[in-house]
Amino acid sequence: MTFSSVIAKTYQTDILIIGSGSAGSTAAIAAANSKYKVTLVERYGFPGGTSTQMLDTFYGFFTPSDSPKKIVGGIPDTIVNALDTSGDIFLRPNTYGAGTGVNYNPEKLKQVWDKLLLKSGVELFYHTTLVGVEKLGAQTVCVFFHKGTGFFTITAKRVIDASGDADFCHWADIGYEKAGEKAPAQSMTTTFRMSNVEHDIYEAAGGKKMLKEKMAEAYSKGTHPLSRKEGSAHEMCQPKCISTVAVKVTDLDPLDVEGITKAEIEGRRQSFVFEDFFRAEVPGYENAKIIGLSHQIGVRETRRVYGNYRLTKEDCMQAKTFADQIFLCGAPIEDHRKGPDGGSETFWQYVPNGGIYGVPYGTIVPKETQTVWVVGRCFSATHDAHASCRSMAQTMSMGQAAGMAAVLSLGHDSDAKNIDIKKLQDSLVRLGAVLELPDAIADTSRNGWANNQGLL
Ligand SMILES: Cc1cc2nc3c(=O)[nH]c(=O)nc-3n(C[C@H](O)[C@H](O)[C@H](O)COP(=O)(O)OP(=O)(O)OC[C@H]3O[C@@H](n4cnc5c(N)ncnc54)[C@H](O)[C@@H]3O)c2cc1C
């Protein structure tokens, strides 16, 4: 499509990042600590993407086992430290599920991202949506829309697609697999938060175990028309508040305008079915009410770009390591999809023996390009591998690797595929990234993060 007749303004940058989710914001911070101009564009009015639109727990920093290891560091640590300084995190130890989570206040996280982005010197455009790519190459021209400014372009020497949906790659005709093509797409979730929850009463009545039983009973007896028989509700940083991952919406396409519209409506409907259930059935929730729904329905997967390397289930389950690995992951495959009875279920498959695998550089470099990286939930992986490697500690790690790779590629006038991997790995390690499998067992029993640093 040609936009030239309606372009209101033009901008130039060195490194352009599309989407300010956990991957894009981290990429921007990493890239901006250089001599190059970095521009970050986000369609909403705040940074963080899924991390602030709907969630409150970073998973993936720790491996899930009786002897957890801390496997992510660098800028992700800086983010958590900033939250810890203002008392806005606590650790939620877990030996099952995705492992110990780092719970945070998502509203505070929006400000932390803002501050770190501005401090790094990133040029920010909020309320701005990528709507086209006019030219791909040494100087890539992207077209954006802001409702007041109209259409405008940014010309960039390097581009990092961190849009979650691989919108840049889509508009630039870069190849990808669409979720649902080869394996059922993961379901979508509207998260909701409730206030006025009496945690003591809830815990005394049996806590998590009791909730699980009550939910399964309501589902099987049909006393409340729940979409599934299990789901999580956990304490937040804010007193007497809980956050949920309970709603499940399946069989709708989030990349289709009619599909996403129906999904948003269905997600809200299910949220209030859950509210009725909690108030009627769960001790401690009698006077609780929903105080917020996620900014939009949570979308787990849409497009996964074909990269120079495609991470596979075997790589994860065989705990493979790679000479060009740029970060680590130990999370299980966590696949949210329809179960045999038609309700949505979560299927888990753990890396054997608390194993940890490495993720190679080629997973963030699209096959057909020289000046583009793709990070976050649209990176190059099969459905199963993606279901393991999409927690936010990992998406932040991809971001910091891509940001630094873009800087290296500009500095040496090399293309994305030919950067010096050793140099990239060295600069990641200098930043604090963990690239070698650690031996030390992490102490996840503490409340704070900075305190943990010396112990890990
Ligand atoms: C319901 C749900 C629960 C989850 N639970 C957890 C959890 O508890 N812990 C955990 O660690 N992980 C969890 N995950 C996984 C994890 O949150 C995501 O994989 C991760 O946040 C993806 O980060 P991202 O930066 O790739 O994408 P996103 O966070 O989706 O960011 C993409 C950004 O790009 C912007 N954007 C998109 N298109 C455009 C465009 N055309 N122009 C401009 N901007 C654009 C978006 O607005 C957004 O800000 C969950 C995911 C979901 C959906």
Side-chain angles (χ1 to χ4, degrees):
M1 171 175 178
T2 301
F3 289 88
S4 36
S5 58
V6 287
I7 296 299
K9 273 185 171 180
T10 58
Y11 295 85
Q12 304 273 338
T13 195
D14 292 318
I15 302 172
L16 173 64
I17 297 156
I18 316 292
S20 74
S22 48
S25 292
T26 314
I29 295 165
N33 283 310
S34 71
K35 61 182 180 190
Y36 298 109
K37 180 173 175 187
V38 175
T39 304
L40 176 62
V41 182
E42 166 57 46
R43 72 179 148 154
Y44 291 138
F46 57 90
T50 307
S51 74
T52 52
Q53 287 163 14
M54 68 199 69
L55 298 181
D56 68 345
T57 311
F58 291 129
Y59 284 121
F61 275 98
F62 300 99
T63 55
S65 89
D66 291 329
S67 38
K69 308 258 173 65
K70 182 169 180 283
I71 53 166
V72 164
I75 295 170
D77 274 341
T78 309
I79 308 295
V80 180
N81 273 323
L83 289 161
D84 192 27
T85 307
S86 55
D88 284 297
I89 65 151
F90 65 92
L91 296 189
R92 193 147 52 94
N94 249 351
T95 51
Y96 63 94
T100 288
V102 182
N103 272 57
Y104 56 83
N105 172 354
E107 300 307 322
K108 187 70 188 184
L109 179 57
K110 289 177 185 166
Q111 196 201 13
V112 165
W113 286 123
D114 270 344
K115 273 189 178 171
L116 291 172
L117 288 163
L118 293 176
K119 195 174 150 209
S120 309
V122 175
E123 176 182 53
L124 280 170
F125 290 109
Y126 287 146
H127 290 293
T128 298
T129 305
L130 174 80
V131 292
V133 177
E134 279 217 321
K135 182 175 170 282
L136 175 66
Q139 298 277 337
T140 295
V141 183
C142 293
V143 184
F144 295 90
F145 180 74
H146 169 262
K147 73 185 183 71
T149 307
F151 293 100
F152 67 92
T153 60
I154 302 178
T155 301
K157 294 177 186 150
R158 300 290 184 273
V159 180
I160 300 176
D161 186 345
S163 64
D165 294 326
D167 281 7
F168 173 86
C169 292
H170 172 71
W171 293 122
D173 284 330
I174 294 170
Y176 56 79
E177 176 189 340
K178 199 176 158 197
E181 267 173 18
K182 296 186 179 170
Q186 292 216 46
S187 55
M188 292 177 265
T189 295
T190 304
T191 61
F192 61 87
R193 296 154 191 175
M194 295 181 83
S195 68
N196 212 22
V197 176
E198 301 295 346
H199 293 301
D200 295 347
I201 298 175
Y202 171 77
E203 288 302 336
K208 254 185 208 168
K209 186 169 172 287
M210 171 271 300
L211 175 62
K212 200 173 171 189
E213 285 162 10
K214 296 243 177 227
M215 221 181 247
E217 192 184 336
Y219 178 85
S220 59
K221 290 190 179 159
T223 47
H224 295 269
L226 305 181
S227 52
R228 58 194 292 232
K229 52 178 173 268
E230 42 183 46
S232 77
H234 58 262
E235 278 188 63
M236 298 182 70
C237 286
Q238 290 86 342
K240 297 182 90 170
C241 290
I242 62 102
S243 174
T244 67
V245 180
V247 165
K248 285 294 165 66
V249 177
T250 53
D251 300 329
L252 290 169
D253 180 359
L255 292 174
D256 172 71
V257 65
E258 292 175 28
I260 192 71
T261 303
K262 284 183 186 148
E264 294 284 9
I265 293 166
E266 173 60 12
R268 283 191 280 277
R269 186 195 69 75
Q270 287 187 27
S271 299
F272 287 96
V273 171
F274 273 104
E275 185 192 60
D276 288 344
F277 159 77
F278 274 105
R279 285 170 60 86
E281 309 292 343
V282 185
Y285 280 76
E286 294 81 357
N287 298 310
K289 278 277 190 185
I290 286 183
I291 47 161
L293 303 175
S294 48
H295 191 84
Q296 67 149 79
I297 193 164
V299 176
R300 291 187 170 81
E301 59 166 347
T302 46
R303 301 180 180 120
R304 282 174 278 106
V305 171
Y306 286 112
N308 259 357
Y309 188 84
R310 200 150 186 81
L311 193 73
T312 65
K313 180 177 177 178
E314 291 67 40
D315 296 335
C316 309
M317 290 303 129
Q318 292 169 16
K320 283 194 188 160
T321 53
F322 298 83
D324 63 342
Q325 62 197 25
I326 46 169
F327 66 94
L328 303 176
C329 183
I333 293 174
E334 180 187 342
D335 194 358
H336 300 255
R337 58 182 155 82
K338 256 187 189 171
D341 68 356
S344 186
E345 289 184 32
T346 308
F347 298 88
W348 299 89
Q349 201 173 333
Y350 284 81
V351 185
N353 309 315
I356 298 166
Y357 60 89
V359 180
Y361 176 66
T363 60
I364 62 166
V365 182
K367 241 183 194 167
E368 304 135 44
T369 64
Q370 284 81 43
T371 54
V372 178
W373 290 261
V374 60
V375 292
R377 66 175 170 84
C378 44
F379 84 122
S380 180
T382 63
H383 169 83
D384 293 315
H386 176 268
S388 161
C389 196
R390 66 190 177 91
S391 291
M392 291 184 280
Q394 277 65 40
T395 54
M396 288 191 275
S397 299
M398 296 179 205
Q400 77 181 353
M404 305 208 67
V407 168
L408 268 179
S409 120
L410 276 175
H412 294 86
D413 198 21
S414 55
D415 78 28
K417 293 186 185 71
N418 293 322
I419 62 151
D420 183 332
I421 288 293
K422 180 76 176 64
K423 273 205 175 113
L424 173 63
Q425 290 172 324
D426 287 347
S427 44
L428 284 169
V429 169
R430 273 198 300 278
L431 208 58
V434 185
L435 301 188
E436 299 292 329
L437 306 192
D439 294 325
I441 310 289
D443 178 356
T444 55
S445 62
R446 296 200 167 202
N447 210 23
W449 185 256
N451 280 343
N452 264 310
Q453 297 303 296
L455 298 166
L456 302 171

